[in-house]
């Protein structure tokens, strides 16, 4: 390998590392995963209130709990964004479930549980038909959350594939 080739490889690795660090920053993670998940939870809670209001008044409490849960998670994600932009560490997790996991010594396991719950909410909203109950404004929030979430996932996957095929 020539000196020019080694210089090119080193520059490529530095650039790759900086891109990888960006994908791991709380700013990116909150904006593309955490906040969209909060939107899904919030819209699920609102839909739960809307659907259960007449038929199942006892479930109104559940809708309220989901809305409060989504709101707390949203504040936690926004806090992580602000602290990351200020280059300060956060002493809290991205969501309440992961925060409980921190207390149990396994925040990433609990964060994965929150991800499962969020994907379950998305699936329920779609398969139950409740997605059709969203107002036009709520639908735009749903579309925005989905767009951020899916495009960021695609960018990370594309980047990782390109990085794995780098020149030797």
């Amino acid at each position: 390998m020539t000196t020019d080739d080694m210089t090119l490889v080193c520059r490529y690795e530095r650039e790759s590392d900086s891109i990888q660090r960006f994908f791991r920053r709380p700013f990116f993670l909150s904006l593309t995963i955490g906040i969209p998940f909060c939107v899904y939870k919030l819209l699920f809670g609102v839909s739960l209130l809307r659907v259960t209001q007449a038929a199942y008044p006892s479930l109104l409490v559940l809708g309220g709990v989901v809305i409060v849960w989504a709101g707390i998670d949203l504040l936690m994600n926004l806090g992580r964004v602000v602290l990351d932009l200020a280059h300060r560490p956060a002493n809290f997790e991205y969501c309440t479930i992961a925060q409980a996991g921190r207390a149990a010594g396994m925040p990433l396991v609990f964060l994965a549980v929150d991800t499962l719950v969020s994907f379950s909410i998305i699936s329920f909203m779609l398969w139950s038909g409740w997605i059709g109950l969203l107002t036009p404004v709520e639908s735009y929030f749903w579309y925005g959350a989905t767009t951020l979430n899916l495009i960021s996932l695609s960018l990370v996957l594309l980047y990782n594939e390109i990085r794995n095929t780098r020149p030797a």
Side-chain angles (χ1 to χ4, degrees):
M1 186 178 272
T2 69
T3 305
D4 288 341
D5 290 340
M6 289 176 57
T7 302
L8 182 63
V9 168
C10 288
R11 191 182 96 225
Y12 176 82
E13 287 177 357
R14 275 193 313 277
E15 289 172 2
S16 294
D17 289 345
S18 65
I19 293 169
Q20 192 67 30
R21 278 192 304 274
F22 175 74
F23 286 152
R24 292 182 183 148
R25 283 187 61 181
F27 172 81
F28 181 80
L29 295 171
S30 287
L31 182 67
T32 64
I33 300 169
I35 292 172
F37 282 7
C38 294
V39 169
Y40 298 134
K41 291 171 191 170
L42 181 62
L43 293 174
F44 173 65
V46 168
S47 297
L48 194 56
L49 289 179
R50 194 174 286 143
V51 168
T52 62
Q53 188 172 358
Y56 307 100
S58 60
L59 289 178
L60 286 173
V61 173
L62 179 60
V65 168
V66 171
I67 289 170
V68 169
W69 169 41
I72 293 169
D73 284 4
L74 181 60
L75 290 174
M76 293 174 80
N77 274 279
L78 291 172
R80 297 281 306 220
V81 166
V82 169
L83 290 171
D84 186 50
L85 291 175
H87 302 289
R88 299 189 62 192
N91 61 353
F92 54 90
E93 297 296 326
Y94 291 93
C95 63
T96 52
I97 293 176
Q99 190 65 36
R102 179 183 269 207
M106 34 187 180
L108 292 178
V109 171
F110 282 61
L111 186 61
V113 168
D114 184 80
T115 301
L116 175 63
V117 170
S118 296
F119 283 138
S120 298
I121 286 170
I122 294 166
S123 297
F124 179 82
M125 287 288 291
L126 294 171
W127 284 98
S128 68
W130 286 13
I131 193 83
L133 301 175
L134 298 177
T135 68
V137 171
E138 292 166 348
S139 293
Y140 285 120
F141 276 103
W142 185 278
Y143 303 152
T146 302
T147 301
L148 277 172
N149 199 249
L150 294 177
I151 288 179
S152 70
L153 175 63
S154 299
L155 284 173
V156 171
L157 290 173
L158 177 63
Y159 168 77
N160 285 334
E161 284 305 311
I162 290 170
R163 188 169 184 223
N164 288 337
T165 60
R166 70 177 177 214

